[in-house]
Amino acid sequence: MIQVRFHGRGGQGIKTASQILGSAAFNSGFQAQDFPLYGAERRGAPIVAFTRISPTPILERGPISNPNLLLIGDETLLNDSQVAPLCGADESTIVFVNSTKSTEQIQKQFPFPAAPLILDLTDRCQNFLGKGHILSTALATAGARILGNIDLKDLLEAVKMELGQSLKPETLQKNLELTQDIFHSLSPCTIPEKPIKALASSPLIELKQTPVHEAAPIILAPGNMALRKTGNWRMQRPKIDYDHCNKCLICYARCPEGTIKIDEDGRPQIDYEHCKGCMICAQECPGHFIQTIRESEGAHE
């Protein structure tokens, strides 16, 4: 059985990517299982999805902790210790990262167990779809091609099946062209077999009945949302051009998260620790003096 784990952010189509890969595997004659795992819908927040592929019935359930193939749609997640996308990967795990960096560059930054595969999917999605952040088709195609056991025609059929009812015909055609482009840009890999670990039973936990005032939580502390730094949800970051900014403060008024402050000179200042990268400020700026920068490229400025 091949186990694939996807990492990305809400809004990138990570759940759909796992569905396309599962459907493509099914079309190629395999048993398949796919499902996502995330909390409340939050655009930009990290999510994870899973696909299992096997020639025999799949009886295993639950998240994949030790994947054969790891597909990382957003390289900025590698900096997030809470997400820890490389958790469970070992020397036998094939790791793919959507990145503009070379394999050597990204290996110097992060502790990959083996050299990762790299391709800039965002750039290709921008070229074909006009939306660089929609990775569903691209990431599923990368997975199918790397596995090497899924035919292109079965993958194309899966894209039609999963996206055909929600997209206009011309947009679906662009997704099919993107699929063919990425499929021919990557090479299949040999997926090493992982040893099957025997399941160990867990000790039975005895739950005792306790009075309500002891069992139910009572929260007396004030709200602490300000302490939750959501800046790592960002796929794109706004950058204010202060040489041209005329301090109209439209961005300050329109920011839905209240992450733009006013400094002592009356200029808007973005709080990057909490800005989620919705880019409404850039859209609303009358003079277009707020640039949109890919987060992986602007994070070190």
Side-chain angles (χ1 to χ4, degrees), residues 265-288:
D265 296 323
R267 305 187 309 173
Q269 290 283 353
I270 299 172
D271 174 5
Y272 287 110
E273 289 191 340
H274 293 90
C275 168
K276 297 176 181 175
C278 68
M279 305 310 303
I280 289 177
C281 56
Q283 295 172 21
E284 295 291 335
C285 177
H288 305 293

Side-chain angles (χ1 to χ4, degrees), residues 173-185:
Q173 181 59 35
K174 292 176 182 176
N175 276 271
L176 296 175
E177 293 170 3
L178 173 65
T179 299
Q180 296 182 66
D181 178 76
I182 293 175
F183 195 87
H184 294 302
S185 300

Side-chain angles (χ1 to χ4, degrees), residues 107-161:
Q107 272 189 299
K108 290 179 181 177
Q109 289 184 263
F110 305 103
F112 290 95
L117 303 175
I118 303 290
L119 189 66
D120 186 359
L121 299 183
T122 299
D123 185 59
R124 291 173 190 249
C125 290
Q126 183 65 41
N127 291 338
F128 279 87
L129 310 178
K131 294 180 179 178
H133 66 284
I134 303 296
L135 301 175
S136 49
T137 300
L139 203 58
T141 301
R145 183 54 167 163
I146 291 169
L147 291 179
N149 56 2
I150 296 175
D151 293 336
L152 176 58
K153 65 178 180 57
D154 294 328
L155 177 60
L156 292 170
E157 193 59 34
V159 173
K160 293 178 187 176
M161 186 164 58

Side-chain angles (χ1 to χ4, degrees), residues 37-196:
L37 185 64
Y38 50 85
E41 290 280 1
R42 297 174 301 177
R43 184 181 178 85
I47 78 160
V48 61
F50 312 92
T51 302
R52 289 189 172 94
I53 300 170
S54 173
T56 57
I58 300 170
L59 303 179
E60 193 168 340
R61 299 289 186 272
I64 296 170
S65 58
N66 188 214
N68 301 92
L69 174 59
L70 192 52
L71 299 168
I72 301 174
D74 191 323
E75 67 173 288
T76 60
L77 292 172
L78 293 165
N79 289 314
D80 194 322
S81 58
Q82 291 184 324
V83 179
L86 297 178
C87 182
D90 55 30
E91 293 81 1
S92 67
T93 305
I94 306 294
V95 180
F96 172 87
V97 184
N98 169 29
S99 175
T100 57
K101 298 184 176 67
S102 67
T103 300
E104 292 73 21
Q105 288 175 321
I106 206 165
Q107 272 189 299
K108 290 179 181 177
Q109 289 184 263
F110 305 103
F112 290 95
L117 303 175
I118 303 290
L119 189 66
D120 186 359
L121 299 183
T122 299
D123 185 59
R124 291 173 190 249
C125 290
Q126 183 65 41
N127 291 338
F128 279 87
L129 310 178
K131 294 180 179 178
H133 66 284
I134 303 296
L135 301 175
S136 49
T137 300
L139 203 58
T141 301
R145 183 54 167 163
I146 291 169
L147 291 179
N149 56 2
I150 296 175
D151 293 336
L152 176 58
K153 65 178 180 57
D154 294 328
L155 177 60
L156 292 170
E157 193 59 34
V159 173
K160 293 178 187 176
M161 186 164 58
E162 296 296 339
L163 304 180
Q165 294 186 349
S166 58
L167 297 182
K168 296 178 180 178
E170 56 268 29
T171 306
L172 177 61
Q173 181 59 35
K174 292 176 182 176
N175 276 271
L176 296 175
E177 293 170 3
L178 173 65
T179 299
Q180 296 182 66
D181 178 76
I182 293 175
F183 195 87
H184 294 302
S185 300
L186 291 168
S187 299
C189 294
T190 301
I191 307 294
E193 288 283 341
K194 288 186 179 293
I196 300 175

